[in-house]
Amino acid sequence: MASVPTTQKALEVVQFGDPLKGTLKLNKEAPVPKPGDGQVLVEMKYACLNPADVFTVQGIYPGVKNVTEKKPGFVAGLEGSGKVVATGSGCSLKAGTRVVPLLGERAGSWQQYLVVSEKQCIPVPDDVDDATAAQLFVNPLTVVGMLDEIQQKAPVKDNPWIVQTAANSTLGRMFIQLARKRGLKTINVIRTSATKQELVQLGADEVVVVSEESELSKKILQLTGGKGAAAVVDAVGGEIGTACCSSLAKGGLFQGYGLQSGQPIQVSNSDLIFKDIVIRGFWLAIWFPKQPSSVVQEVFDMLRKKELVPHIQKIFALEDYLEAFKAQFSPDRRGKILFKLT
Ligand SMILES: NC(=O)c1ccc[n+]([C@@H]2O[C@H](COP(=O)([O-])OP(=O)(O)OC[C@H]3O[C@@H](n4cnc5c(N)ncnc54)[C@H](OP(=O)(O)O)[C@@H]3O)[C@@H](O)[C@H]2O)c1
């Protein structure tokens, strides 16, 4: 561990609440941990700022243990990329290997060094850069997973229409690209018209601006020739999610996967009974462990071929975390906010 320092910078959640109001603190003297048996020390290059991280700081994300246990005083950040700089005994990964550490419920990518089991590391191919690799896990794999579920469980053979809410999100943009590649058609629901053309250029078949429609569900019915959508993927909930859900075709599948409005959807019993619709959630943490390891290689391939493009809005130093959060909350944001760590 000769070239590894003993202390590091780490962005800690010191209390739950608004990320702009003193809930985070940059610790410049956090200890650099040592890897135990089967563990590696990863020097982090980049980490993402995802919505789930915002919810973590707010104390409302049940996917992170410190949140469910209501214990602030931890480093947040669910994903990132780096390289192995030291290994514990019994490891086969070599120092210098570029990796994406899978952190799961303990989180912790917003720091310069972290220890993780080598089994939880995905090696990064040479031709995928660090900033792209930092975004490998959360969004691209969720897009693949939701589309796999739709193709297995929704009536898309007779009806290719899928509705997605929050379509302007980083994930939503990739969903447009991959759905088109798989021969499906997307109706993309967004809040304002500013990004309509950008989504069309990415391959959106239809873009619906909520503020321009008096009745969202009627618009979707009209766009699907009166049939309704075979599937809805909803990151918003509330009125928008409810309207999209009621526009499902017979046998249609609703997948809720995001908490953006913080509001629940309402489902009509009539739709459940007479249209036999299915309401489900999608969470990567449940879906991914059931997949073969080849799914990761498929995503690396798509990233390489630019079939999936995870757009970066801006990269910030950890010290500038307040600016990073302001950029995250800006209505003009079009891609991911990243932290550059080393
Ligand atoms: N379940 C899972 O396993 C899983 C995995 C990955 C991601 N996700 C979820 O996927 C979603 C997209 O992730 P991302 O990283 O791509 O996010 P992102 O780039 O930060 O985009 C967030 C989107 O949410 C929209 N939004 C925010 N508040 C809204 C509201 N009240 N009403 C309507 N729209 C609202 C924004 O709309 P504007 O463009 O109009 O600002 C933006 O398009 C997030 O909800 C994230 O938590 C879930």
Side-chain angles (χ1 to χ4, degrees), residues 51 139 142 168-171 191 257 260 282 284 333 336:
N139 280 345
T142 299
N168 183 42
S169 70
T170 321
L171 183 152
R191 289 196 283 192
Y257 75 100
Q260 294 302 150
F282 181 94
L284 184 61
R333 185 169 59 82
K336 197 55 54 196

Side-chain angles (χ1 to χ4, degrees), residues 49-52 55 61 138-139 142 166-172 190-192 195 235-236 240 256-261 282-285 328 330-331 333 335-336:
L49 201 179
N50 284 315
F55 301 142
Y61 186 71
V138 173
N139 280 345
T142 299
N168 183 42
S169 70
T170 321
L171 183 152
I190 56 176
R191 289 196 283 192
T192 61
T195 55
V236 175
I240 292 175
Y257 75 100
L259 312 171
Q260 294 302 150
S261 74
F282 181 94
W283 192 28
L284 184 61
Q328 172 72 11
S330 161
R333 185 169 59 82
K336 197 55 54 196

Side-chain angles (χ1 to χ4, degrees), residues 18 45 61 69 76 113 115 131 133 166-167 174 180 182 204 225 234 237 280 297 304 323:
D18 184 339
K45 198 84 191 166
Y61 186 71
E69 292 178 350
Y113 293 89
V115 157
M174 286 189 268
R180 171 159 280 237
R182 293 192 179 190
D234 175 40
R280 300 196 49 172
Q297 300 315 318
R304 243 183 230 122
E323 291 310 309

